[in-house]
Amino acid sequence: MKANLPLFIGLRYIRSKRSNGYVSFVSLLSFIAMALGVMALIVVLSVMNGFDHEIKKRILNVVPHVTVTSEEGLQDWSQLGESLQENTGVEGYAPFVEGYGLLSSASLSQGVLVQGIDPEQEASVSPINKQMVAGQIEHLSQGRYGIVLGNLLARSLGVIVGDKVVLSLPELNVTPAGIFPRFKRFTVRGVFQVGAQVDNGLAFVHYKDAQKLYRLGNKVSGVKLRVSDPLNVDVLVPSLEIASTLNNEVSKELQVKTWTEELSSLFQAIKMEKNVVGVLLAAIVAVAAFNIIASLVLMVADKRRDIAVLRTLGSQASTISAIFMVQGIAVGFLGVITGAVLGCLLAISIGDIVSWLEALVGFQVFDPNVYFISQLPSRLLWLDVFLVSCLGAVLSVLATIYPARRAGQVLPAEALRYDH
């Protein structure tokens, strides 16, 4: 019974209706603040996870999962591709030629990354065909010098399918008449849109045309691979074995890069943004913890007579402290549990809720003509829920230490002397 006394009295104080009304109000505020803080933190982290996942999914429609390249170029790329496809997790391969250039139209010039591809084999590594908004990727044919542009790039240049653009290369031609930049006129054969920044800086041409432009002869820049689980590609690459049939000297020159390495700066920025926002929103949970401190301090002042009676009956100071720790922890934990449940429910359905509000008020938060998305994305991760709940629980426990120690230090004689 002695062991259960703090638990019994602490929980009874929470349910008691005879306590000071102001103290009860502050305790209620502590519960609400903790619940709102945990709920807001879970929802915001889920939305940021949703944006992160959406960006990765869209980028992977164009960016290769893994690239195997050589500075000198690859001539037997089909042999390398076949050998790499024997590795577990590799589902397809295709050659590519990569280089930079300046793309110009009648109205504007813009730097672009030019990627030469094989239209027939590209389908084995990329769903770019499904992202075409005009024309087809198959319209790229050898010797016709066609080009496929991203939607934002085509809009910036002011061109559509059938228009001409000029690609200037970062090389010079030395002739008896002088030094001239190298350039080639291309015809726009298609426009793609994946809904990411690559729409503004990437252009596709036939890889045979790119070989001539960048003077590679029969070589290509490398081979790009599609893997079964691109989000865990960093686990696959260390186990990727270059075929033993290749010459050892050639194998040593090969460089393997994943899409996470190519876009590391972008995703590091997203991760840092998530961490910063998480820390700022954690301040709401900290405020709720301070509310718990305030409510317990007021409760200790309100229950001085009860404390004196218990001490007179023989209760130890540790028992008195435990009573108020139980009360504060109960309020905090109830707030954490309530906030976690509400946060999970809201994170799962926030996209539908925003869509319903848009239909109700007739206003679009994400206009498809302006933004890449039309619905608020959300991705609930149980690790985030666990970490946020642990944060709320730890702060709730820490918030009870000072008021509980103050309660244990109350002297019975002093408390009863001023009691009326």
Side-chain angles (χ1 to χ4, degrees):
M1 179 65 185
K2 183 177 180 181
N4 294 330
L5 182 63
L7 183 63
F8 175 76
I9 298 178
L11 296 178
R12 185 177 178 85
Y13 277 167
I14 297 176
R15 302 192 305 268
S16 177
K17 297 181 180 180
R18 298 192 304 167
S19 60
N20 187 293
Y22 181 73
V23 176
S24 300
F25 177 72
V26 175
S27 298
L28 179 62
L29 283 182
S30 303
F31 165 77
I32 294 175
M34 182 63 73
L36 288 178
V38 171
M39 181 185 71
L41 196 50
I42 290 175
V43 171
V44 170
L45 291 179
S46 298
V47 170
M48 297 197 71
N49 291 332
F51 276 109
D52 179 63
H53 183 73
E54 190 72 20
I55 291 174
K56 289 179 179 178
K57 185 176 69 174
R58 289 171 182 265
I59 287 178
L60 288 174
N61 287 330
V62 175
V63 175
H65 300 168
V66 182
T67 58
V68 181
T69 60
S70 173
E71 293 184 0
E72 302 298 327
L74 297 173
Q75 189 164 1
D76 298 329
W77 57 265
S78 59
Q79 180 187 359
L80 175 62
E82 290 292 340
S83 62
L84 288 172
Q85 198 167 9
E86 295 176 1
N87 288 270
T88 303
V90 179
E91 297 183 341
Y93 72 93
F96 73 96
V97 175
E98 198 168 71
Y100 292 92
L102 183 67
L103 205 59
S104 305
S105 66
S107 58
L108 188 68
S109 297
Q110 185 169 333
V112 294
L113 173 64
V114 180
Q115 192 170 104
I117 61 172
D118 184 345
E120 295 180 359
Q121 285 201 264
E122 189 66 18
S124 64
V125 296
S126 169
I128 186 63
N129 286 328
K130 299 178 182 178
Q131 311 302 322
M132 300 297 294
V133 295
Q136 297 293 330
I137 201 73
E138 290 82 3
H139 292 170
L140 295 178
S141 56
Q142 179 183 356
R144 302 292 296 274
Y145 291 97
I147 191 169
V148 173
L149 307 177
N151 181 50
L152 294 179
L153 178 59
R155 187 182 301 178
S156 299
L157 296 175
V159 296
I160 59 175
V161 175
D163 289 347
K164 303 289 185 179
V165 293
V166 175
L167 177 64
S168 302
L169 303 179
E171 296 180 13
L172 297 176
N173 274 336
V174 180
T175 67
I179 300 176
F180 299 95
R182 295 185 61 226
F183 61 88
K184 183 66 180 178
R185 189 178 300 275
F186 282 81
T187 303
V188 179
R189 296 296 184 187
V191 177
F192 69 87
Q193 180 179 4
V194 297
Q197 193 60 34
V198 291
D199 288 349
N200 195 38
L202 182 63
F204 293 111
V205 300
H206 196 281
Y207 83 101
K208 290 289 186 180
D209 296 339
Q211 285 175 334
K212 294 180 181 178
L213 287 172
Y214 294 102
R215 296 174 175 173
L216 293 178
N218 293 326
K219 296 181 179 180
V220 297
S221 300
V223 174
K224 50 185 176 181
L225 309 176
R226 186 185 71 189
V227 299
S228 56
D229 189 5
L231 297 180
N232 293 319
V233 68
D234 293 326
V235 178
L236 169 67
V237 168
S239 63
L240 197 63
E241 297 181 0
I242 303 299
S244 58
T245 55
L246 294 176
N247 186 296
N248 290 332
E249 293 182 0
V250 175
S251 298
K252 291 178 181 178
E253 296 175 355
L254 297 178
Q255 299 175 352
V256 181
K257 282 189 177 182
T258 66
W259 66 273
T260 56
E261 293 174 317
E262 296 285 351
L263 302 170
S264 59
S265 58
L266 171 63
F267 293 109
Q268 284 177 359
I270 294 175
K271 184 177 180 180
M272 182 179 295
E273 183 180 3
K274 177 184 175 182
N275 292 336
V276 171
V277 171
V279 171
L280 293 177
L281 286 178
I284 301 177
V285 181
V287 169
F290 281 111
N291 285 339
I292 293 176
I293 296 175
S295 66
L296 286 181
V297 169
L298 293 174
M299 181 64 73
V300 169
D302 187 56
K303 299 296 184 180
R304 288 176 66 87
R305 181 182 179 185
D306 294 357
I307 295 172
V309 171
L310 290 172
R311 291 297 305 275
T312 303
L313 293 175
S315 296
Q316 301 293 326
S318 59
T319 303
I320 303 301
S321 297
I323 291 173
F324 289 93
M325 287 191 71
V326 167
Q327 182 184 357
I329 290 173
V331 171
F333 279 26
L334 286 174
V336 169
I337 294 172
T338 303
V341 172
L342 293 178
C344 291
L345 294 175
L346 186 57
I348 293 172
S349 57
I350 190 169
D352 296 331
I353 293 175
V354 172
S355 298
W356 176 77
L357 290 175
E358 288 177 342
L360 184 65
V361 301
F363 174 77
Q364 280 189 309
V365 178
F366 298 102
D367 188 349
N369 296 323
V370 179
Y371 301 99
F372 292 132
I373 60 174
S374 59
Q375 190 176 24
L376 186 66
S378 178
R379 186 166 180 253
L380 181 65
L381 297 181
W382 294 114
L383 178 61
D384 288 341
V385 177
F386 174 76
L387 292 177
V388 171
S389 300
C390 286
L391 174 65
V394 170
L395 290 179
S396 298
V397 173
L398 294 178
T400 63
I401 295 177
Y402 172 73
R405 291 187 61 185
R406 288 288 303 273
Q409 294 172 356
V410 172
L411 299 176
E414 293 294 327
L416 293 173
R417 178 185 300 176
Y418 299 105
D419 183 61
H420 298 287

